Amino acid sequence: MTDNRTRKYARRLARLVGVTTVVHVALAWFVYRDAADREVPGGRWAALTLLGGLFGLAGYLRRR
């Protein structure tokens, strides 16, 4: 029984990590595109958003 519960937990954790990764990549892409539209180097902000998620996005929005 414990083995089945462990597998279920691992699947849920993998889904959470997958969704979080997709959201971080999408946010970083949006930040990079917005920075490019404003003719600002966006690589640093995209990397910060990719690593920091909403915190990186908030920093970019505050700075812009």
Side-chain angles (χ1 to χ4, degrees):
M1 181 144 145
T2 303
D3 192 33
N4 190 25
R5 288 175 60 191
T6 303
R7 282 192 203 123
K8 189 182 286 187
Y9 176 74
R11 281 193 298 261
R12 286 182 181 171
L13 185 61
R15 272 192 294 247
L16 176 65
V17 168
V19 168
T20 302
T21 300
V22 167
V23 169
H24 280 227
V25 168
L27 287 175
W29 183 74
F30 286 128
V31 165
Y32 185 79
R33 295 279 299 166
D34 184 66
D37 289 344
R38 295 174 181 274
E39 298 178 0
V40 175
R44 184 179 113 210
W45 287 109
L48 185 64
T49 303
L50 187 62
L51 295 174
L54 293 176
F55 295 111
L57 177 65
Y60 172 73
L61 292 175
R62 184 170 182 231
R63 179 73 171 119
R64 86 175 201 180

